[in-house]
């Protein structure tokens, strides 16, 4: 008979499998599943990409001798769905194969699913255990849980600053496109990896104008995030790289403008509720995460309104001596990681 330690061991494997889907599951959570018979893993699966089969179905389909399922335990890090979406309900598949025991980490926070999958399985005589490695499971799917518990996307702030706490030199609009790099090439590759893991990426008007960023993932493989730019008066030149039409781009503005291929203009009120209004629009569009890359005013606006979940600050090995001061977070960092030539400070502000 499985012990609590056995349950933890197999659930950890579920979490490891689930993470393999990072960046590919879209609005769906990352889920892994493990099937254990007589103390041995006989089947595994994870949710590979949005629209594909869920982890439970992939694990079951990996087993040749389906008769073993009647004497097996299924481990999965999130409550199996009980509704018909892009794929059949996972709870129905579990019932069909008479799997007698199910161990899960967490109840699904989505009200369409929450508790209904567990109830359906119990009503069909299946033993269900909930709460194994629950904190780890919530942390893995922090974007998904934040989206449904706070009704907004998960917000990551990111900037690079010098040893003497500057994020840029003083520049005028005449210096458009001239980037004063602070981080090294290794850190830049890491940032592109981060971008590939989020559903959207946001910058303010000044950053878009002065840096002329592409905001893509050219240094990494994966799905490019939706680009978001704030442009109150539509002052940004339409020949900027952000408007090249290669990636879905949302422009939040007070002015009227005609949308075109991959460029959508959205009217909002530039008042003290601007960020809340933008977050509500993104929530309605099922965008579950935002990677905010600047500039200073935009980042500080998120900090001042306490609308952030995580901050990643790269400290470059250089000094500017003067320029644009870096944003400040009034708390100690939670983690420091040494990169090749830079340092990474990670701040957490998410309590689920």
């Amino acid at each position: 008979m499985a012990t609590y330690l056995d349950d933890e061991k197999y659930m950890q494997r579920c979490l490891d499998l689930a993470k393999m889907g990072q960046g590919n599951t879209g609005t769906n959570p990352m889920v892994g599943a493990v099937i254990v018979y007589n103390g041995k893993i006989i089947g595994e699966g994870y949710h590979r990409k949005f629209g594909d089969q869920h982890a439970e179905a992939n694990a079951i389909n990996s087993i040749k001798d389906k008769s073993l399922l009647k004497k097996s335990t299924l481990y999965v890090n999130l409550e199996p769905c009980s509704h018909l979406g892009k794929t059949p309900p996972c709870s129905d598949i579990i019932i069909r194969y008479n799997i007698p025991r199910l161990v899960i980490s967490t109840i699904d926070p989505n009200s369409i699913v929450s508790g209904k999958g567990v109830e359906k399985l119990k009503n069909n005589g299946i033993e269900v255990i909930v709460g194994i490695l629950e904190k780890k499971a919530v942390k893995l799917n922090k974007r998904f849980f934040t989206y449904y518990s706070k009704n907004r996307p998960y917000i990551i702030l990111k900037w690079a600053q010098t040893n003497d706490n500057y994020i840029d030199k003083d520049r005028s609009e005449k210096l458009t496109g001239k980037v004063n790099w602070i981080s090294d090439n290794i850190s830049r590759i890491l940032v592109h990896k981060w971008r590939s893991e989020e559903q959207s990426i946001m910058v303010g008007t000044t950053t878009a104008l002065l840096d002329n960023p592409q905001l893509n993932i050219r240094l990494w493989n994966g799905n490019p995030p939706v680009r978001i730019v704030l442009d109150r008066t539509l002052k940004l030149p339409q020949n900027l790289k952000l408007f090249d039409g290669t990636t879905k781009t949302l422009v939040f503005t007070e002015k009227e403008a005609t949308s075109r291929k991959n460029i959508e203009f959205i009217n909002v009120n530039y008042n003290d509720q601007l960020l809340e209004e933008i977050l509500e629009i993104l929530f309605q569009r099922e965008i579950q995460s935002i990677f905010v890359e600047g500039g200073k005013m935009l980042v500080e606006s998120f900090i001042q309104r306490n609308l952030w979940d995580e901050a990643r600050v790269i400290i470059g090995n250089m000094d500017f001596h003067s320029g644009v001061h870096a944003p400040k977070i009034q708390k100690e960092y939670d983690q420091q990681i040494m990169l090749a030539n830079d340092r990474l400070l990670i701040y957490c502000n998410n309590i689920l």
Side-chain angles (χ1 to χ4, degrees):
M1 186 172 180
T3 66
Y4 182 79
L5 290 178
D6 289 332
D7 287 343
E8 285 195 334
K9 177 179 68 175
Y10 296 127
M11 190 60 71
Q12 183 59 56
R13 178 58 181 165
C14 288
L15 296 173
D16 293 340
L17 287 167
K19 196 170 183 179
M20 293 172 67
Q22 188 165 28
N24 295 313
T25 60
T27 57
N28 289 344
M30 292 176 280
V31 181
V34 170
I35 299 172
V36 176
Y37 168 74
N38 198 24
K40 293 183 180 180
I41 294 176
I42 60 171
E44 292 185 336
Y46 69 97
H47 185 39
R48 294 178 178 272
K49 65 178 182 179
F50 183 75
D52 277 10
Q53 287 188 322
H54 290 183
E56 299 94 323
N58 285 330
I60 289 171
N61 290 336
S62 73
I63 299 174
K64 290 183 178 180
D65 185 357
K66 298 292 194 294
S67 67
L68 297 178
L69 291 168
K70 296 179 180 179
K71 301 177 182 178
S72 298
T73 297
L74 170 63
Y75 293 84
V76 62
N77 58 290
L78 189 70
E79 177 183 11
C81 60
S82 55
H83 68 291
L84 179 63
K86 291 184 178 296
T87 60
C90 293
S91 55
D92 287 357
I93 299 172
I94 295 168
I95 293 167
R96 185 194 318 152
Y97 283 102
N98 296 311
I99 299 174
R101 184 171 184 263
L102 174 69
V103 180
I104 66 177
S105 290
T106 65
I107 298 297
D108 194 313
N110 185 347
S111 59
I112 296 176
V113 180
S114 188
K116 298 178 179 67
V118 167
E119 182 182 9
K120 186 174 186 178
L121 293 164
K122 285 183 176 180
N123 288 340
N124 280 272
I126 296 172
E127 178 190 3
V128 181
I129 296 173
V130 181
I132 303 299
L133 299 187
E134 183 175 11
K135 289 184 178 179
K136 284 188 174 183
V138 171
K139 184 177 180 180
L140 175 68
N141 279 307
K142 55 192 176 185
R143 298 159 183 82
F144 184 75
F145 278 86
T146 297
Y147 179 81
Y148 283 106
S149 64
K150 298 186 177 182
N151 294 330
R152 65 161 174 79
Y154 187 86
I155 301 166
I156 301 173
L157 310 178
K158 174 266 167 185
W159 70 87
Q161 67 183 57
T162 60
N163 280 319
D164 54 351
N165 300 320
Y166 291 99
I167 62 171
D168 200 357
K169 296 178 180 178
D170 289 316
R171 287 191 285 166
S172 69
E173 294 185 6
K174 295 179 181 179
L175 295 175
T176 299
K178 183 182 182 299
V179 180
N180 294 306
W181 290 109
I182 294 174
S183 55
D184 63 17
N185 288 332
I186 300 298
S187 295
R188 288 173 214 163
I189 293 172
L190 177 61
V191 170
H192 281 237
K193 177 181 181 295
W194 289 341
R195 290 177 179 177
S196 74
E197 295 168 352
E198 310 309 328
Q199 287 188 279
S200 67
I201 182 170
M202 178 186 286
V203 293
T205 310
T206 302
T207 297
L209 182 63
L210 295 185
D211 290 353
N212 191 16
Q214 298 180 59
L215 300 186
N216 58 20
I217 55 169
R218 60 193 179 278
L219 303 181
W220 198 259
N221 292 319
N223 299 309
V226 174
R227 300 184 295 199
I228 300 172
V229 60
L230 277 61
D231 187 7
R232 180 175 188 173
T233 62
L234 295 183
K235 66 180 287 186
L236 294 175
Q238 292 302 293
N239 62 355
L240 291 180
K241 295 171 183 175
L242 281 174
F243 304 128
D244 61 11
T246 59
T247 303
K248 177 70 175 177
T249 303
L250 306 179
V251 183
F252 286 93
T253 179
E254 281 188 340
K255 299 292 185 179
E256 293 292 334
T258 302
S259 298
R260 57 185 187 274
K261 180 185 176 182
N262 271 342
I263 311 294
E264 183 179 355
F265 296 90
I266 302 173
N267 284 116
V268 289
N269 297 309
Y270 272 71
N271 53 30
D272 60 356
Q273 292 295 305
L274 172 64
L275 293 183
E276 285 84 352
E277 184 177 355
I278 290 174
L279 293 177
E280 173 61 23
I281 291 171
L282 298 178
F283 174 78
Q284 295 298 332
R285 290 175 177 236
E286 297 187 330
I287 291 179
Q288 291 186 2
S289 64
I290 311 174
F291 196 60
V292 183
E293 282 214 41
K296 175 182 171 68
M297 288 181 59
L298 181 61
V299 170
E300 287 187 337
S301 294
F302 276 99
I303 294 173
Q304 289 164 6
R305 302 194 72 80
N306 199 32
L307 290 171
W308 64 283
D309 300 292
E310 187 177 333
R312 301 173 186 175
V313 183
I314 296 175
I315 314 293
N317 189 22
M318 64 173 66
D319 297 301
F320 278 175
H321 305 293
S322 65
V324 181
H325 286 281
K328 292 183 180 179
I329 293 178
Q330 301 301 322
K331 71 185 293 289
E332 291 295 318
Y333 58 81
D334 296 87
Q335 190 176 6
Q336 178 174 212
I337 300 172
M338 301 306 297
L339 305 175
N341 295 306
D342 304 330
R343 287 182 293 141
L344 169 63
L345 305 183
I346 298 177
Y347 299 81
C348 296
N349 190 43
N350 192 321
I351 301 175
L352 291 171

